Amino acid sequence: MDDEPLVIELLRCALDSTADIVVAEDGSNAIMLAHSAPLPDLILLDVGLPDIDGHEVCRQLKKSSVTEDIPIIFTTARDMSDDETQGFTVGAADYITKPLNLPITVARVRVHLESRRLHRQVKQHNEHLDQLVQARTRELETEMRHRQEMEKRFIHQVCHDSTTGLPNLSLLRRCITQHTTESSEPFALVLIVITGFHEINNTLGHQHGNQLLAQVAMRLHEISRQIDNAVAIEKDSVNHKLARLEGVSFGLVLTGADHDNIFMHVNRLLKVLDKPVEYQGMALSFGGVAGVTLSPDHGRDFNTLLRHTHIACEQAMHRPEHFAVYSEEMNPYNERRLSLMGELRSAILNNTLTLAFQPQCSLSDNVVLSAEALIRWQHPQLGFVPPDEFIPLAEQTGVIKSLTQWVLNEAIRQCVAFEKAGYPLIISVNLSARNL
């Protein structure tokens, strides 16, 4: 870009083998050509152009995003010190003074062209690397989303029942543990057990039984969502308040509820189970029972509460209302009973039990005719243990046979002793049905 024809011709001849040359004779034309395709790799710019000063042309080219990276070499016949300072300020890459030293000019042009070529290669390489990085980043983001989705599905499977889609035992455990940790508010754990479902499984098969169970579970789920004081076991869009524990048992947690409130909600759930379910043209009926434990009265940790709730359900099986709240009296597995189970065997072996005899008299002549043998146990630490406490234990644990044998042996021995003493009596012994 120069307004002197001689300078233009000299540069054209000197650089003919080095580069393709495009000439602009004024500043306006120079700015237009610099923005035209193909973009120049280097601009030789005369400072003293006729219309627009070379410094201004350079300033405008450096402001443009299209031409800002193109190196500009000023050519000038002005005083170098002032002119060069101003030129570098507006963005010049180099200065060549007039009159031109053509070998030096050609050498400088070649250096800047090579630098431009290397700069373009680096830029292209960086752009390629950026593309690779962006592509790999997209791949990693896609892979990360896929893994997160897989992890989310896996966690959902671990924490939910596959048949009903409801939260499972682990989520209910977490809910109760979190509640007891974060709050001192009392709550009730309710266990609903479907009765009569075993026959349906045996008749229709487990696959049909699972489909039917899913329908019943959704009925219970819809009712549980309507209970305001039921705790959300899983706070999601569905707001699950019911969990499937195992088999045909379901659990939910109620807060701020008294006995009447609990019974009202449990009764609603049990009535759902009383309604026949239409399945493949059949109207199938079953029932349910409910057991309740109160925290902290009946326990604080989840395992204790769940165990007591199962005990309450066992009691509910024998009640007309099919509903029972746990109490220590109904617990056949308390520490005293566990202790007595083992110590009863020792009492039999060590012969520390005794028999009492209830006489039967003839009122007409006031003569004792017979006696009923009654077993008694005087525990060394617990004192008198009633027969109605340890005999059911013996029946449950299988000790009843050895206990009966001990009673028979002791009754026969005492019968012989009575006869030797002059009291021939008929001795009667009570037998458990487990011995028959």
Side-chain angles (χ1 to χ4, degrees):
M1 300 174 183
D2 203 299
D3 60 346
E4 296 183 26
L6 179 60
V7 173
I8 292 173
E9 191 60 31
L10 288 173
L11 290 173
R12 189 191 296 276
C13 293
L15 299 173
D16 184 58
S17 61
T18 303
D20 295 329
I21 298 174
V22 177
V23 177
E25 297 180 353
D26 56 49
S28 300
N29 193 31
I31 294 172
M32 182 188 68
L33 289 176
H35 285 82
S36 302
L39 297 178
D41 294 314
L42 179 67
I43 297 175
L44 290 176
L45 180 59
D46 186 13
V47 174
L49 292 175
D51 58 342
I52 302 176
D53 180 77
H55 292 147
E56 180 59 28
V57 173
C58 181
R59 185 179 293 107
Q60 292 187 28
L61 292 177
K62 291 301 176 181
K63 286 182 179 180
S64 171
S65 60
V66 177
T67 57
E68 61 181 351
D69 291 334
I70 302 174
I72 297 174
I73 300 177
F74 276 124
T75 60
T76 182
R78 300 178 183 177
D79 179 73
M80 278 291 292
S81 58
D82 294 335
D83 208 53
E84 187 173 353
T85 300
Q86 186 178 0
F88 283 125
T89 301
V90 296
D94 202 353
Y95 253 87
I96 299 176
T97 58
K98 296 179 182 179
L100 300 176
N101 184 323
L102 291 180
I104 292 177
T105 300
V106 171
R108 287 187 174 182
V109 168
R110 286 176 176 172
V111 167
H112 283 287
L113 286 175
E114 179 65 16
S115 176
R116 174 67 171 168
R117 185 185 67 81
L118 294 174
H119 174 76
R120 183 182 290 110
Q121 285 184 349
V122 171
K123 184 177 180 180
Q124 291 174 348
H125 181 68
N126 289 340
E127 290 175 350
H128 179 64
L129 288 178
D130 287 341
Q131 292 174 355
L132 293 177
V133 169
Q134 292 174 7
R136 182 55 181 158
T137 300
R138 288 192 295 269
E139 291 177 1
L140 291 175
E141 289 175 346
T142 302
E143 183 178 350
M144 182 64 70
R145 285 193 299 270
H146 180 64
R147 288 186 178 182
Q148 289 174 344
E149 291 172 359
M150 289 183 61
E151 181 180 354
K152 186 176 180 180
R153 286 196 298 269
F154 175 74
I155 293 176
H156 186 274
Q157 292 173 358
V158 169
C159 297
H160 293 78
D161 174 57
S162 59
T163 301
T164 64
L166 294 173
N168 60 13
L169 182 67
S170 63
L171 270 184
L172 180 63
R173 182 193 306 273
R174 186 177 69 182
C175 172
I176 290 180
T177 302
Q178 183 177 352
H179 183 85
T180 54
T181 302
E182 298 178 355
S183 172
S184 58
E185 182 183 13
F187 65 89
L189 174 60
V190 179
L191 183 66
I192 304 291
V193 178
I194 302 175
T195 58
F197 209 86
H198 180 70
E199 290 77 6
I200 293 176
N201 272 335
N202 289 341
T203 304
L204 301 180
H206 287 280
Q207 181 177 356
H208 292 289
N210 286 339
Q211 294 175 4
L212 183 61
L213 182 62
Q215 291 186 30
V216 177
M218 286 303 101
R219 286 186 177 185
L220 293 172
H221 166 65
E222 290 302 324
I223 295 298
S224 69
R225 290 181 62 189
Q226 299 171 21
I227 302 176
D228 294 335
N229 57 322
V231 177
I233 298 173
E234 184 180 31
K235 296 179 180 178
D236 57 3
S237 57
V238 182
N239 201 27
H240 284 110
K241 296 182 177 181
L242 184 74
R244 184 191 178 190
L245 306 188
E246 56 185 4
V248 290
S249 60
F250 300 84
L252 71 157
V253 179
L254 302 178
T255 59
D258 55 23
H259 183 277
D260 292 339
N261 182 270
I262 295 172
F263 182 77
M264 177 185 68
H265 294 311
V266 170
N267 194 45
R268 289 180 63 193
L269 293 167
L270 293 179
K271 283 184 176 179
V272 169
L273 299 178
D274 290 337
K275 295 179 180 179
V277 177
E278 294 292 332
Y279 184 76
Q280 295 188 353
M282 297 177 288
L284 303 176
S285 300
F286 32 80
V289 296
V292 177
T293 52
L294 305 176
S295 178
D297 295 347
H298 303 147
R300 293 182 179 273
D301 65 282
F302 176 77
N303 291 333
T304 300
L305 291 170
L306 184 61
R307 185 174 72 252
H308 290 170
T309 309
H310 277 289
I311 294 171
C313 272
E314 292 176 6
Q315 293 294 318
M317 295 281 188
H318 308 291
R319 297 187 178 184
E321 67 273 21
H322 298 155
F323 170 77
V325 178
Y326 173 81
S327 66
E328 193 65 29
E329 291 74 21
M330 68 173 60
N331 187 356
Y333 312 106
N334 57 39
E335 294 180 2
R336 174 184 170 93
R337 293 175 69 87
L338 289 176
S339 176
L340 290 178
M341 285 180 186
E343 293 175 350
L344 181 57
R345 290 185 174 89
S346 299
I348 296 172
L349 293 174
N350 297 329
N351 203 34
T352 57
L353 300 172
T354 60
L355 284 183
F357 294 90
Q358 178 68 44
Q360 296 177 346
C361 303
S362 172
L363 297 179
S364 60
D365 53 11
N366 201 28
V367 176
V368 176
L369 302 176
S370 61
E372 178 183 5
L374 303 174
I375 190 169
R376 295 292 181 262
W377 184 12
Q378 189 68 26
H379 193 282
Q381 285 81 39
L382 301 177
F384 178 72
V385 181
D388 60 358
E389 182 177 2
F390 67 83
I391 289 178
L393 279 178
E395 292 176 332
Q396 292 172 11
T397 58
V399 181
I400 189 64
K401 291 185 178 181
S402 57
L403 180 62
T404 301
Q405 188 63 52
W406 183 91
V407 171
L408 290 174
N409 291 338
E410 183 63 17
I412 292 171
R413 186 190 67 78
Q414 192 63 51
C415 184
V416 172
F418 285 149
E419 186 169 357
K420 287 181 179 181
Y423 300 102
L425 299 176
I426 298 173
I427 304 296
S428 61
V429 176
N430 295 312
L431 296 179
S432 169
R434 299 292 179 92
N435 291 298
L436 302 179

